Amino acid sequence: MLRHVLVGCQASRHFQHNAPTKFSPLGPADSPSENQNSLGFKRRSLRPGTELNKCDQRQLQSPIVTMAAPPASIQTADPAEAPSTSKTLGEVVVVGAGPAGCLLAHYLLRRGFSVHLFDKRPGATPLKPEGDGSEGQVYGQGDSRSYTILLTSRAMKAFKGAGLELPPNLLNQLVGSCLHLPNGKKRKLTYSKMPGLSNYGVSRNALVAWLQQSLDERYPNLKTYFEYELKSVDKTTNTASFRLSSTNFFSPKPELVEVKYDLLVGADGVNSAVRSEMIQWDTSETPSLKKKSKPLTLDFQPSEEAYKSFYVRPELAKKSPLYEDHDRVQAWPAVNILLTGMADGSLWGGTKNKKILEASSAHEVEILFRGNAPDLFELLLEENPNFCEDFLRQPAISFGAAVILSRFHHGNSLVIGDAAHAMFPSYGTGCNAALEDCLLLDQILEENVHGDGVEISFYKVAMEFSKRRVEDAHAIVTMNSTQELFPRGFFGLLQVMLLTSLHKLAPKLFRPNSYQQLQLSDMSFRQILLQKRTEDVLFYGLLLVLALLVVAALLFAFGVQPKFKFNPGS
C-alpha cells in the first residue's frame, strides 16, 4: 500500500470545534437565478486555490450543526493512528470537501479505496440544542458563506447510489413560485406535478455538514486534512504536497503534508488548484507527448453580475405573512429580489439589483427596499434594526463563472464538479451535475475492478471519465449560459404551452419538454440539448406551415387565382 508522508510537527486528523461562534447579521448568501445572455468565453489562466466552504472532521454529539466562523479551539489527533483496512484498492487524494468531494469520498470508501480528503477551510461547528432535542437533528442555516441550492432527481439518484438518504429536516420541498407584483398583488405558479418531479431547497453548508457527519460515522478510517491548500503535485512520483492555509502560529498541525496517490481528484471549485496543475503539466509536455492526446484548454467566462444577501431566523419568519409561501420561491421582479424558505423555517434572500447594490447611503437602501418590497423590508428590520447600514457595508458576491475545459483528466488526475464545468446559476443545475459526476465515476471504477489481485489502471479510469462526461458537461454549461431552455417572448411561451398540452393529451406520444426533462429525469444533457433543438425546428416549422395555409385561405377568400395552372396533358 502506498503511504503518506507528514512533514513538520504532529499531524492531525480530527478537528473538533468546541467553541461556537456567533452568526453574522449580514445573513447567508442566496443564489438567485440569473440571465446570462451570451456564452462569449474568454480563455485565461486561473490562480491556484478556491473559495470553498470546508466540511471539517469531528464527532458530532449534539443534534444541531451551525456553519459559522472558525472555532476558537481545536483538538487534534495523528491521522497515522486512524484505523485502516488491511487491504485497499488504492490511495485516492480528493481535493475539496464541498458536496461533490464529500459524496465522492462516500463512493470511494464504500468501494474499498483509501481516501485522503483535503480542504482549505475549517468546517462546521456542532452546537448543543435548546430543549430535549426530541425533534431530531436540525442543521442550522445561519452562515454568511452559504447559500440555497436546488436538488433535483439527479442529485437524489447520486445520493441513493452511495447508500445515502437525506434527512427530511435538511430539505424543503419547493412546489412553485410566488411573484410579488408592484401593485401589491401576488401571482403564484405551481411546478409540474409529474411523478418524480420534486425539487428541494437546501443550505449548501448544511448539506456539506451532513455529508461530513455521515463520513465520520460510517468510515472512521477516512484521513482528513482541513485548513490545507494544494501547494504542488509531482506527477512523476504521484505525490501531492499541501501547505497549511491558516496563519495560526500556535497550531499543532504540520506546516506541510505530502501524500502519495494512485488517483488525484480535484473537486476544489471554479478556481481549482488541481486544474491549474493539470494545465501546467500539459503546457510543459514535449510535442511528441502532446500528439497522443487532445490539448488541455480552458475557456473561462467570469460573471459580470453580483448580489447581496439577507437572512431571517425561523422564529421571526414563521410569524410573518411571507411564511404562507414558505414552500415557494418568492420573487419581487421589479427589483430582482428572491426569497427562499429553508427546512428549519428560516428565510434566505438576495438581490442583484444594481441600484440597490450601488446605493451610496443607508437611506437610499431603505427607499429602494421600502418602495418595492415593503412587507419584506419590515421583516428584515425586525430581524436586524441596523439592516440598512449592515447591508450597505456588506460586500457584493460574484455570481461565479462559466468554465469549458477541453478534457477533465491528465494522466491519473482528474477534476469534477465546478472544477471541470462550472456554470452560472441559471437552472440550479450546477450542484446536481457535480453530484452526478460522482455517480458516473463510481460506475467507471466498478467496471475496472475485476476482482482481488487485479491492478486498476487509474489512467484508464480518468481517461474514460473524460470520454463520457466532457461533451455532456459542455452541453449543460452552454444551456445555462444561453438560457435557451427558458421561453422567450410570445412565441417562446406559445411553444411551451403547446408542448405541455400535447404531453398532457398524449403522454405516450409526446415527452415532457426539454426544460422539464432537465428537472424531471436523468436524461443526458446532450440529449436534452438535442431535444430542445428538435422542438424548435418542429415548432417553427409548424408555424411556417400554418402561416402558408392562412395566406392561401386569404387569397382564396378574396378570389385571387394562381397565375400558373398545372395541365396533366402537357
Side-chain angles (χ1 to χ4, degrees):
M1 181 186 297
L2 297 176
R3 66 187 181 89
H4 63 273
V5 181
L6 300 176
V7 181
C9 55
Q10 187 181 20
S12 58
R13 176 180 185 269
H14 289 290
F15 306 121
Q16 291 183 320
H17 298 176
N18 300 318
T21 53
K22 203 168 184 179
F23 164 64
S24 167
L26 299 183
D30 186 52
S31 237
S33 297
E34 286 312 299
N35 294 319
Q36 299 294 339
N37 298 322
S38 173
L39 197 54
F41 289 101
K42 180 180 179 182
R43 187 168 299 162
R44 77 178 196 185
S45 298
L46 297 182
R47 65 182 184 277
T50 183
E51 294 299 316
L52 281 177
N53 176 59
K54 307 314 181 242
C55 64
D56 204 3
Q57 278 292 335
R58 74 265 182 248
Q59 299 290 342
L60 294 179
Q61 301 297 334
S62 85
I64 291 186
V65 177
T66 184
M67 281 56 68
S73 61
I74 295 176
Q75 295 180 356
T76 64
D78 192 337
E81 298 175 357
S84 61
T85 56
S86 58
K87 185 177 181 180
T88 69
L89 295 176
E91 303 278 336
V92 182
V93 170
V94 178
V95 184
C102 288
L103 181 60
L104 181 60
H106 272 281
Y107 273 111
L108 293 168
L109 290 161
R110 194 167 181 250
R111 193 162 290 283
F113 291 91
S114 179
V115 178
H116 306 258
L117 183 62
F118 285 85
D119 215 309
K120 186 180 177 181
R121 293 178 179 270
T125 302
L127 297 177
K128 188 174 181 179
E130 296 180 0
D132 58 4
S134 59
E135 296 183 358
Q137 293 184 334
V138 178
Y139 294 86
Q141 317 294 335
D143 184 352
S144 60
R145 293 195 66 253
S146 190
Y147 49 85
T148 304
I149 57 178
L150 181 71
L151 298 181
T152 66
S153 57
R154 294 178 186 274
M156 295 307 175
K157 183 177 180 180
F159 289 129
K160 185 178 180 180
L164 296 171
E165 184 178 353
L166 296 180
N169 55 6
L170 189 65
L171 305 171
N172 181 35
Q173 185 168 1
L174 301 173
V175 301
S177 59
C178 177
L179 304 181
H180 296 260
L181 305 177
N183 59 8
K185 295 183 179 181
K186 296 181 181 180
R187 182 184 178 189
K188 297 185 180 182
L189 304 175
T190 301
Y191 298 149
S192 173
K193 296 183 179 180
M194 296 183 202
L197 183 55
S198 296
N199 296 326
Y200 299 93
V202 60
S203 157
R204 187 263 190 194
N205 287 3
L207 175 62
V208 170
W210 180 81
L211 284 170
Q212 188 280 324
Q213 179 192 357
S214 301
L215 282 170
D216 196 43
E217 293 174 348
R218 296 185 181 204
Y219 309 103
N221 58 322
L222 169 66
K223 304 174 186 68
T224 58
Y225 313 80
F226 290 92
E227 297 184 280
Y228 280 95
E229 60 185 351
L230 184 65
K231 178 177 180 288
S232 62
V233 180
D234 187 342
K235 67 172 184 174
T236 60
T237 61
N238 287 348
T239 303
S241 299
F242 297 82
R243 61 190 170 200
L244 195 63
S245 60
S246 65
T247 56
N248 184 2
F249 295 103
F250 300 100
S251 173
K253 292 181 287 186
E255 296 180 3
L256 184 67
V257 176
E258 293 182 350
V259 184
K260 295 184 70 68
Y261 63 85
D262 294 304
L263 179 66
L264 174 65
V265 182
D268 48 343
V270 65
N271 295 324
S272 170
V274 175
R275 187 183 64 213
S276 296
E277 290 286 326
M278 290 167 51
I279 293 174
Q280 184 178 349
W281 299 337
D282 191 78
T283 304
S284 60
E285 279 186 345
T286 61
S288 59
L289 290 175
K290 288 184 178 180
K291 291 180 181 179
K292 296 181 180 180
S293 60
K294 184 179 180 180
L296 185 58
T297 58
L298 172 64
D299 293 328
F300 181 86
Q301 181 192 355
S303 174
E304 297 179 354
E305 296 184 296
Y307 70 100
K308 289 187 178 183
S309 62
F310 41 81
Y311 169 83
V312 179
R313 60 187 185 271
E315 50 269 31
L316 284 180
K318 293 178 181 179
K319 298 177 183 178
S320 168
L322 294 175
Y323 192 77
E324 174 188 346
D325 298 303
H326 189 259
D327 56 353
R328 296 175 182 269
V329 178
Q330 302 183 59
W332 287 259
V335 282
N336 288 326
I337 293 177
L338 288 182
L339 191 68
T340 306
M342 303 306 297
D344 66 347
S346 62
L347 293 172
W348 284 11
T351 179
K352 66 166 189 173
N353 182 273
K354 285 190 176 182
K355 287 185 178 180
I356 297 179
L357 297 185
E358 297 172 358
S360 58
S361 65
H363 180 64
E364 188 176 353
V365 171
E366 178 180 356
I367 292 175
L368 290 169
F369 268 94
R370 189 184 296 277
N372 295 281
D375 47 353
L376 173 62
F377 181 66
E378 293 301 327
L379 181 60
L380 293 174
L381 283 181
E382 191 175 357
E383 168 67 32
N384 176 18
N386 299 318
F387 168 77
C388 295
E389 292 80 3
D390 290 340
F391 188 86
L392 184 68
R393 291 193 298 265
Q394 182 185 160
I397 304 170
S398 171
F399 268 105
V403 168
I404 291 287
L405 194 62
S406 58
R407 53 184 164 89
F408 299 158
H409 79 286
H410 191 292
N412 56 343
S413 301
L414 61 90
V415 287
I416 65 172
D418 283 353
H421 46 71
M423 61 194 77
F424 300 122
S426 303
Y427 301 139
T429 314
C431 185
N432 294 276
L435 298 174
E436 196 174 49
D437 285 348
C438 302
L439 177 60
L440 174 60
L441 183 56
D442 180 69
Q443 293 170 350
I444 295 172
L445 287 169
E446 182 178 11
E447 295 168 6
N448 286 270
V449 177
H450 303 292
D452 294 339
V454 179
E455 185 175 351
I456 301 174
S457 172
F458 290 96
Y459 169 74
K460 181 180 178 182
V461 168
M463 183 172 60
E464 187 66 20
F465 178 78
S466 272
K467 180 181 178 181
R468 299 189 193 181
R469 195 57 168 168
V470 165
E471 188 179 348
D472 211 35
H474 288 180
I476 185 57
V477 175
T478 299
M479 286 188 289
N480 269 266
S481 299
T482 60
Q483 291 200 355
E484 58 186 290
L485 297 188
F486 285 145
R488 296 178 179 177
F490 171 76
F491 289 108
L493 292 172
L494 183 62
Q495 180 181 354
V496 170
M497 293 171 60
L498 175 63
L499 294 173
T500 303
S501 300
L502 290 175
H503 175 69
K504 290 181 178 179
L505 293 173
K508 294 183 179 180
L509 185 60
F510 296 96
R511 296 186 299 182
N513 64 53
S514 52
Y515 182 70
Q516 290 174 328
Q517 293 285 13
L518 182 65
Q519 305 294 329
L520 171 66
S521 71
D522 56 356
M523 177 188 290
S524 73
F525 299 125
R526 289 171 294 175
Q527 291 176 316
I528 293 175
L529 184 58
L530 179 61
Q531 179 178 329
K532 174 58 179 174
R533 304 284 165 79
T534 304
E535 290 172 354
D536 290 343
V537 171
L538 292 176
F539 176 72
Y540 289 104
L542 180 61
L543 285 183
L544 179 60
V545 171
L546 290 175
L548 292 175
L549 290 175
V550 170
V551 171
L554 290 174
L555 291 175
F556 180 79
F558 286 99
V560 178
Q561 300 296 326
K563 294 182 179 181
F564 301 99
K565 295 184 179 181
F566 176 69
N567 188 357
S570 61

